Amino acid sequence: MPDRYDLPAGFRWGVATAAYQIEGAVGEDGRGPSVWDTFAARPGAVRDGHTGAVACDHYHRYPEDISLMKGLGLDGYRFSIAWPRIQPGGSGPLNPAGLAFYDRLVDALLEVGITPLPTLFHWDLPQALEDDGGWLDRDTAYRFAEYAAVVADRLGDRVPAWITLNEPFVHTVFGYAMGVHAPGRALMFEALPAAHHQLLGHGLAASVLHERGLEVMLSNNLTPVQPASSDPADVAAAEAYDVLHNRMFTDPVLFGRYPDLSALGVPDDIYGAVHPGDTDLIHAPGLDGLGVNYYNPTRVAAPTDPGLPFDLVDIPDVPRTAFGWPVVPDGIRQLLVGLKELYGAALPPVTITENGCSVDESADPDQPRIDFMSAHLDALAAAVAEGVDIRGYYTWSLLDNYEWAEGYHQRFGLVHVDFATQTRTPKASYTWYRDLIAGHRAGRPE
Ligand code: IFM
């Protein structure tokens, strides 16, 4: 059986973070409000009323965080750029201090030999755009492309590859369909125009980036879907869920068309959001790499609630993370092999842009995270052995950080953060990852 040391030579090792989850400094240097500032302030929206106002104070402490990355021996660092720092009002005037922050960050990374891999949108939409309809409004896609141009013009001389969006599925479903994330809209399937407008924004931004000679990726949170039984009703429900979670966000980009949405009861034009020519705008720029964020598979049964085309059910008899998520390392292999089978030549090289788990603070010596990462990397090596072109692995996350509606309760970091003092303490998984990276580069550990 192949293992993690069999991952190809030149495989890129990294860590991933996102602006609102680590930066803090939400009111500093001209940053405008984002939908997450608004949502987190809403009573009851986030566990214990936590907000990202301070988070890991990375805005001030980024030199220390880059030293931690250097200690890991990373090839790359995936972070996100806060649109409200660049355009506090979501469009129009630029904020020089915001651009200057990312300039400093990029330069400091390059100084220690780490390639920056920025994501342009990781859920912190400027509140001013939300006030005009957010991603439900087609215009937001065009504003996104303008913002992409500004940032690429400033950083593109030093940053070769860019991720447009992070997990448009999660942003659409949690933020616009269920209301458990910002902006807190609960529109159920009528949220799906927000998905289309994000994908349109991706396509328009991808053109802008390509015109500047830059590489483009898109990071989707993908899940292998298993029917709860071989009963045709469970199988049909699993297919419907696969369309919603996976194919709706990948088919338009790789195939240039949406999958059949009829099992979801959604019209082909997604309630009038899809205009003639839109799928070309999404597909034609092409994708240089697909970012895959993998956490767990999803088990699906026939609906018990007639208003939904599926039921999500527990996966029995598997370990769980501190968050309660099922741990199924082979799911990453199944997912990647499935992508290769479905998309064939249309599938660009894959980078794992997130994978990791939350572990209780009391776990000593952070063994569940080491077990999680090592099993997933072995499964990744198995996918490579089955012919999937996988170029890198960015673990989620460098630091314990703000886990959205869970506030500071879920700890995903290789580095422990004491949120009262901002003291960073590397965990056992940090040392393990550092040694793995060095061992892989050397061929195999001694
Ligand atoms: O923290 C999130 C991240 O922002 C997006 N992907 C999943 C992570 C863990 O929930």
Side-chain angles (χ1 to χ4, degrees):
M1 280 289 284
D3 71 17
R4 50 202 178 271
Y5 294 104
D6 295 313
L7 287 163
F11 190 80
R12 298 185 68 74
W13 298 100
V15 294
T17 67
Y20 190 73
Q21 295 181 269
I22 64 165
E23 284 181 2
V26 294
E28 274 183 59
D29 290 345
R31 176 188 178 278
S34 79
V35 290
W36 265 96
D37 300 297
T38 310
F39 183 75
R42 193 189 284 178
V46 174
R47 196 167 156 197
D48 290 339
H50 290 168
T51 76
V54 178
C56 305
D57 194 30
H58 172 79
Y59 188 74
H60 300 112
R61 292 169 197 262
Y62 73 90
E64 181 182 355
D65 296 337
I66 292 176
S67 298
L68 286 162
M69 293 181 221
K70 184 179 174 213
L72 283 167
L74 301 181
D75 297 296
Y77 172 45
R78 175 179 178 229
F79 59 98
S80 78
I81 293 177
W83 187 349
R85 273 195 207 290
I86 307 298
Q87 286 179 302
S91 58
L94 303 178
N95 174 30
L99 281 164
F101 169 67
Y102 295 106
D103 244 344
R104 293 195 295 278
L105 181 69
V106 161
D107 285 343
L109 287 164
L110 293 173
E111 253 167 54
V112 296
I114 297 176
T115 304
L117 177 59
T119 303
L120 285 165
F121 180 69
H122 196 128
W123 307 350
D124 46 356
L125 192 74
Q127 182 61 42
L129 291 182
E130 179 58 26
D131 295 342
D132 288 340
W135 286 110
L136 293 169
D137 183 2
R138 184 177 175 87
D139 205 42
T140 299
Y142 291 88
R143 300 291 79 76
F144 181 64
E146 285 166 13
Y147 150 69
V150 166
V151 183
D153 284 342
R154 181 65 173 254
L155 303 177
D157 57 337
R158 286 152 290 157
V159 175
W162 296 70
I163 297 170
T164 52
L165 307 173
N166 180 69
E167 299 180 359
F169 165 78
V170 178
H171 190 54
T172 304
V173 170
F174 285 21
Y176 287 89
M178 293 163 62
V180 295
H181 276 188
R185 313 277 303 260
L187 301 171
M188 298 307 287
F189 284 108
E190 288 180 25
L192 289 180
H196 177 66
H197 295 145
Q198 285 174 80
L199 290 168
L200 180 61
H202 157 80
L204 296 169
S207 291
V208 159
L209 293 163
H210 276 161
E211 276 158 24
R212 288 158 176 77
L214 303 170
E215 288 192 5
V216 180
M217 293 170 54
L218 165 68
S219 285
N220 279 332
N221 166 307
L222 299 175
T223 184
V225 179
Q226 1 172 303
S229 77
S230 55
D231 183 311
D234 287 343
V235 173
E239 281 169 9
Y241 188 75
D242 186 41
V243 164
L244 177 65
H245 192 129
N246 298 315
R247 297 198 53 176
M248 167 144 195
F249 294 88
T250 318
D251 283 17
V253 181
L254 299 183
F255 282 156
R257 57 173 186 268
Y258 278 103
D260 179 0
L261 302 174
S262 58
L264 304 174
V266 172
D268 287 351
D269 68 352
I270 314 186
Y271 306 105
V274 183
H275 295 191
D278 278 6
T279 44
D280 286 344
L281 291 172
I282 294 169
H283 171 64
L287 202 62
D288 303 294
L290 181 66
V292 171
N293 297 355
Y294 171 75
Y295 289 92
N296 51 256
T298 308
R299 192 171 171 88
V300 180
T304 45
D305 170 350
L308 275 181
F310 46 72
D311 257 7
L312 303 187
V313 295
D314 268 351
I315 300 182
D317 307 324
V318 294
R320 304 259 154 193
T321 71
F323 216 146
W325 295 353
V327 178
V328 185
D330 192 54
I332 198 168
R333 184 196 61 80
Q334 292 164 22
L335 173 69
L336 293 164
V337 170
L339 287 174
K340 181 170 177 278
E341 281 166 3
L342 176 62
Y343 294 107
L347 182 69
V350 170
T351 294
I352 304 304
T353 43
E354 287 184 28
N355 174 243
C357 64
S358 66
V359 174
D360 269 341
E361 206 170 357
S362 56
D364 185 35
D366 200 32
Q367 195 60 42
R369 189 180 331 274
I370 296 172
D371 293 345
F372 183 100
M373 289 173 70
S374 97
H376 282 76
L377 285 163
D378 288 348
L380 203 59
V384 171
E386 289 182 50
V388 189
D389 182 359
I390 305 167
R391 303 284 172 94
Y393 176 87
Y394 290 69
T395 194
W396 185 271
S397 183
L398 175 68
L399 304 169
D400 291 340
N401 60 45
Y402 182 74
E403 179 52 30
W404 307 113
E406 284 286 302
Y408 295 99
H409 290 289
Q410 304 296 339
R411 292 183 173 268
F412 278 87
L414 301 177
V415 175
H416 178 271
V417 177
D418 178 331
F419 292 105
T421 63
Q422 292 296 342
T423 303
R424 275 87 162 124
T425 310
K427 304 179 190 177
S429 53
Y430 175 96
T431 314
W432 176 86
Y433 195 42
R434 179 199 67 195
D435 293 348
L436 164 69
I437 294 170
H440 176 261
R441 280 203 194 110
R444 245 176 213 277
E446 299 295 299

